[in-house]
Amino acid sequence: SWHPPYHSSKFRHVYGRVASREQSYNGLQITGGVQDSHCCAVNPQFIAVVTESTGGGAFIVIPVRQTGRVDPHHARVCGHQARVLDVKWDPFNDQRIASCSEDCTVKVWDIPKNGLKENIIFPRKELIGHARWVGLIEWHPTAKDVLLSSAYDYQVCVWRLDTVTAVAKTPVCVIRSHTDLVLSVSFSEDGSRLATTCRDRNVRVLDPRTGHLLQGSYNQSHKAWKVLFLTNLNLLLTTGTSLWNQRQYALWDPEDLSKPLLEEDLDGGCGVVFPFYDPDTHMLYLAGKGDGNIRYYEVSAEKPYIHFLAEHRSLLPQRGMGVMPKRGVDTKSCEVFRFYRLVPVKDLLEPLSFLVPRKVNHTASQRLSSQRCIVSASLVSASQCRSVSASHHLSVSVSQRLILSVSRLSVAASHSQRLSSVSQHLILSFSRLCRIISASLVCVSASHSQRLVSVSQRLILSASRLSVAASHSQRLSSQCRSISFSVSLILSISSDGFQEDIYPMTAGGEAAMTAQEWLMGQNRGPILMSLKPGSKIQNPYPAPVEAAGPDHSANSQNLQNLHEPGRLFPQEEMANQDKEYELANQHVEYDISDLSGWQEDETQGYGVSNTHTPDSVWPHRHGEQTWPESDAYTLPVAEKEMWQLFYMQREEIRSLRQQLDQRDNRIQQLELEIKNMHNQHN
């Protein structure tokens, strides 16, 4: 089908603006590692950059507003024993960050509200489950306290962070579908699917809860490096190389990865191309590692899918890049995207803003600048203040019309002021004239006196009319001043430059569900917020309602105590819960005097109406109690406690498996040693 050569778009003229050196961050000892990660993470409060360090790994955290030169002795997060490979901020907590390292661990840190004042060594939580370097981490986009990690042991682990233990050794899910190193991971919009790229050239779409393979590509013409879900378009984008080592990008249908929808070559460079996507503007940014340019496109759901817009060029190559979340951009300057480029040749972190050129009329506000100086806020009444607050939605064109009318009113007010002053002078002269006439009536004839009286009456009538006009003119001038003041306020608000067409509802900083809800199979999209100043986030999802009962009041209190940070899960709590359950069921009397009528079949033993419970239904093994598998039976403890026991058992099973693997390895080592000893004797 035919497609027009030009694509009409409101983002065709988007351009990049580099911040000045005073607004950048200088003196950073940027890491020199070869890991293909961003090495930088940004949120509206802090910036985290992986730095060089001796004797372990570290990264620095600085406030966004603290621009300029960074103190070389600035406090760092230095709890890793080897080089830090990647850092990521929690999307729902601006003071929590996760890091992975060559020491085979993932650690979660709490950053103080005012920034780092001293080095942080001890993390809030440590995740130990990989056998080799951990190179990638990713937070769940909608569920709270869910973190994903990928390592050089070809495994992808999904962790749950709302557990009570400070050291977690058992992930929720371990994905072992990859045969080589995992290069990148990406969640879908609701977190129900996980896309990965591997060094074996394949792209996979997996279920992150179970690890089952949903889709897989075996295309040999495109070697994928990075993968990214285009969330609101249900498309998948990968960047990599072709058979002729040309850098290219490819577009896929996540439901069918047998053949890409689109393949396009970029250039012959050798650096990894990082893709970034803005779902609000449907803009795609491609930035290469070691390059100085950034290409940006507009993506649509119809062919030809991707439309080239422009390219930003710079002479300084970039080592990595951080992206400011959409809730942190500057809407007054029509900023739609902001990068933070790591420039190692100058130890520089350089902000790069992409702006939509929009013309905002400020001449009207300049015309009223003289009037603002002479008008005080006391002229505006309470009703006018309410009208000003209600008129925030007026556009610039409406405010321009108001300015024209206000200018006319101001001219009328100036004329009315002159009229009032003239009328006051006339009233004074009339009063003097009346006094003269009254004094001269005694020395003139009657005919002349009658004429003077009639003239004086006319003069007094005209003077009264002039006084009324003067009072109306004063009121008019005061109203003109108040209206000009309100319109100046409207202009100051409308000149902020909020453009609703380029700032739709975007993902906010609030989680849509808990980790438990996500693990139970629920899928929810992100909670949206408006970037307009003064707007609030509204959660469309109802809060989970916990079942209340008289038998579990003490257990709920124990659960609150269990979730204190740093507290372990003690065995005494389980013993107390068993005692409470026994006390709660003391009113049930079991008649065990006559067991002759009891038979072990499927019709007895599990119902509520039974008056006896045999030992065969409640077997005891080494002090452990096995519960019957029946839908009519209610579990004695809360659901969260059962999950806690389940995770503890999984951890024990994992440790036993590790011991078995170590035993097998030890057996192989001993066999080799025996063979070597036999060979030496022979």
Side-chain angles (χ1 to χ4, degrees), residues 555 558-559 562 567 569-582 625 627 636-638 640-646 648-649:
N555 293 338
N558 293 335
L559 281 174
L562 282 174
R567 180 172 178 178
F569 190 87
Q571 299 294 336
E572 290 81 1
E573 297 288 343
M574 293 300 298
N576 294 335
Q577 293 166 9
D578 295 338
K579 291 180 181 179
E580 292 172 0
Y581 176 70
E582 292 175 0
Q625 195 171 13
W627 304 103
V637 292
K640 293 183 179 179
E641 299 171 6
M642 295 300 296
W643 278 104
Q644 193 71 332
L645 290 174
F646 171 72
M648 292 177 63
Q649 291 177 359

Side-chain angles (χ1 to χ4, degrees), residues 622-640:
H622 305 287
E624 297 181 358
Q625 195 171 13
T626 305
W627 304 103
E629 298 178 358
S630 173
D631 296 335
Y633 181 75
T634 304
L635 293 176
V637 292
E639 183 181 0
K640 293 183 179 179

Side-chain angles (χ1 to χ4, degrees), residues 44 69 83 94 102 104 107 130 151 178 210 225 255 289 317 321 383 398 430 453 470 493 542 550 585 608 634 653 672:
R69 184 167 184 82
R83 186 193 299 269
D94 290 341
E102 294 180 358
C104 310
K107 297 184 179 182
H130 291 284
H178 303 89
T210 61
W225 287 336
E255 304 296 337
K289 180 181 177 181
M321 306 190 74
S383 61
V398 177
F430 290 156
V453 167
I493 293 170
N585 293 279
V608 181
T634 304
I653 293 172
L672 291 175

Side-chain angles (χ1 to χ4, degrees), residues 373-482:
C373 298
I374 61 175
V375 177
S376 60
S378 61
L379 296 176
V380 184
S381 61
S383 61
Q384 291 170 349
C385 291
R386 287 193 295 268
S387 65
V388 170
S389 62
S391 60
H392 284 188
H393 65 281
L394 291 177
S395 61
V396 178
S397 61
V398 177
S399 63
Q400 289 176 355
R401 296 177 184 175
L402 286 174
I403 284 300
L404 182 60
S405 60
V406 166
S407 61
R408 293 175 180 175
L409 285 173
S410 62
V411 173
S414 61
H415 287 294
S416 64
Q417 288 178 358
R418 295 176 183 175
L419 180 61
S420 63
S421 62
V422 171
S423 62
Q424 289 176 359
H425 288 293
L426 286 175
I427 289 171
L428 292 175
S429 61
F430 290 156
S431 62
R432 294 176 182 175
L433 182 60
C434 289
R435 292 175 185 174
I436 294 171
I437 290 172
S438 61
S440 62
L441 284 175
V442 294
C443 54
V444 296
S445 62
S447 60
H448 290 289
S449 64
Q450 289 179 357
R451 292 178 182 177
L452 289 173
V453 167
S454 62
V455 171
S456 63
Q457 288 178 354
R458 292 176 184 177
L459 288 174
I460 290 171
L461 180 61
S462 60
S464 62
R465 291 176 180 176
L466 284 173
S467 63
V468 173
S471 62
H472 284 295
S473 64
Q474 289 179 356
R475 294 177 183 176
L476 181 61
S477 62
S478 63
Q479 290 179 358
C480 290
R481 290 178 180 178
S482 61

Side-chain angles (χ1 to χ4, degrees), residues 20-174:
S20 62
R21 192 169 183 83
E22 290 77 13
Q23 298 297 325
S24 302
Y25 308 86
N26 308 317
L28 292 172
Q29 299 177 359
I30 303 173
T31 179
V34 296
Q35 177 71 18
D36 291 331
S37 60
H38 299 304
C39 299
C40 178
V42 186
N43 66 18
Q45 293 187 15
F46 299 104
I47 301 174
V49 179
V50 182
T51 59
E52 283 289 337
S53 62
T54 58
F59 61 93
I60 189 172
V61 177
I62 52 180
V64 173
R65 297 182 179 180
Q66 186 179 339
T67 58
R69 184 167 184 82
V70 180
D71 186 3
H73 301 289
H74 193 281
R76 286 175 170 80
V77 180
C78 49
H80 284 285
Q81 298 179 1
R83 186 193 299 269
V84 176
L85 298 180
D86 197 8
V87 290
K88 288 289 176 64
W89 287 103
D90 188 349
F92 312 118
N93 187 355
D94 290 341
Q95 298 177 13
R96 185 165 70 163
I97 188 171
S99 61
C100 59
S101 171
E102 294 180 358
D103 59 3
C104 310
T105 63
V106 178
K107 297 184 179 182
V108 182
W109 313 83
D110 283 337
I111 306 301
K113 186 176 181 180
N114 297 326
L116 296 180
K117 304 301 180 183
E118 58 183 2
N119 293 339
I120 296 181
I121 301 176
F122 301 103
R124 178 183 180 181
K125 187 176 287 292
E126 184 175 2
L127 310 178
I128 302 175
H130 291 284
R132 299 186 66 182
W133 295 359
V134 184
L136 295 174
I137 50 177
E138 190 71 30
W139 291 92
H140 195 279
T142 59
K144 190 178 181 180
D145 297 323
V146 177
L147 182 65
L148 180 141
S149 63
S150 175
Y152 281 68
D153 56 2
Y154 310 158
Q155 295 183 2
V156 178
C157 297
V158 181
W159 303 88
R160 182 176 176 179
L161 303 182
D162 58 352
T163 57
V164 295
T165 56
V167 179
K169 298 182 179 180
T170 305
V172 175
C173 177
V174 180

Side-chain angles (χ1 to χ4, degrees), residues 235-482:
L235 295 174
L236 199 66
L237 182 105
T238 58
T239 59
T241 57
S242 63
L243 294 176
W244 297 273
N245 287 332
Q246 292 286 324
R247 292 196 299 187
Q248 63 176 194
Y249 64 84
L251 197 65
W252 308 78
D253 182 5
E255 304 296 337
D256 184 13
L257 298 180
S258 60
K259 184 179 180 181
L261 300 175
L262 176 67
E263 285 187 0
E264 188 72 25
D265 291 342
L266 296 174
D267 52 28
C270 58
V272 177
V273 178
F274 296 106
F276 304 93
Y277 180 65
D278 183 8
D280 301 334
T281 59
H282 294 215
M283 290 184 64
L284 173 69
Y285 301 85
L286 299 181
K289 180 181 177 181
D291 298 347
N293 59 337
I294 298 177
R295 302 176 178 90
Y296 43 100
Y297 308 78
E298 188 172 10
V299 187
S300 62
E302 300 177 353
K303 291 183 179 180
Y305 300 110
I306 297 180
H307 309 272
F308 177 77
L309 294 178
E311 180 179 4
H312 173 78
R313 295 179 179 273
S314 175
L315 299 177
L316 301 176
Q318 56 220 6
R319 167 67 178 82
M321 306 190 74
V323 176
M324 172 67 75
K326 203 59 177 293
R327 53 192 173 93
V329 300
D330 185 12
T331 58
K332 296 180 181 179
S333 60
C334 298
E335 182 184 22
V336 294
F337 214 74
R338 189 191 304 171
F339 286 105
Y340 286 82
R341 300 174 62 244
L342 287 175
V343 183
V345 295
K346 291 192 174 183
D347 294 336
L348 178 67
L349 179 63
E350 182 183 65
L352 173 61
S353 300
F354 282 88
L355 309 176
V356 179
R358 291 292 176 93
K359 185 177 181 180
V360 181
N361 191 2
H362 298 283
T363 57
S365 60
Q366 292 176 359
R367 292 175 184 173
L368 290 178
S369 60
S370 60
Q371 296 183 7
R372 292 178 189 175
C373 298
I374 61 175
V375 177
S376 60
S378 61
L379 296 176
V380 184
S381 61
S383 61
Q384 291 170 349
C385 291
R386 287 193 295 268
S387 65
V388 170
S389 62
S391 60
H392 284 188
H393 65 281
L394 291 177
S395 61
V396 178
S397 61
V398 177
S399 63
Q400 289 176 355
R401 296 177 184 175
L402 286 174
I403 284 300
L404 182 60
S405 60
V406 166
S407 61
R408 293 175 180 175
L409 285 173
S410 62
V411 173
S414 61
H415 287 294
S416 64
Q417 288 178 358
R418 295 176 183 175
L419 180 61
S420 63
S421 62
V422 171
S423 62
Q424 289 176 359
H425 288 293
L426 286 175
I427 289 171
L428 292 175
S429 61
F430 290 156
S431 62
R432 294 176 182 175
L433 182 60
C434 289
R435 292 175 185 174
I436 294 171
I437 290 172
S438 61
S440 62
L441 284 175
V442 294
C443 54
V444 296
S445 62
S447 60
H448 290 289
S449 64
Q450 289 179 357
R451 292 178 182 177
L452 289 173
V453 167
S454 62
V455 171
S456 63
Q457 288 178 354
R458 292 176 184 177
L459 288 174
I460 290 171
L461 180 61
S462 60
S464 62
R465 291 176 180 176
L466 284 173
S467 63
V468 173
S471 62
H472 284 295
S473 64
Q474 289 179 356
R475 294 177 183 176
L476 181 61
S477 62
S478 63
Q479 290 179 358
C480 290
R481 290 178 180 178
S482 61

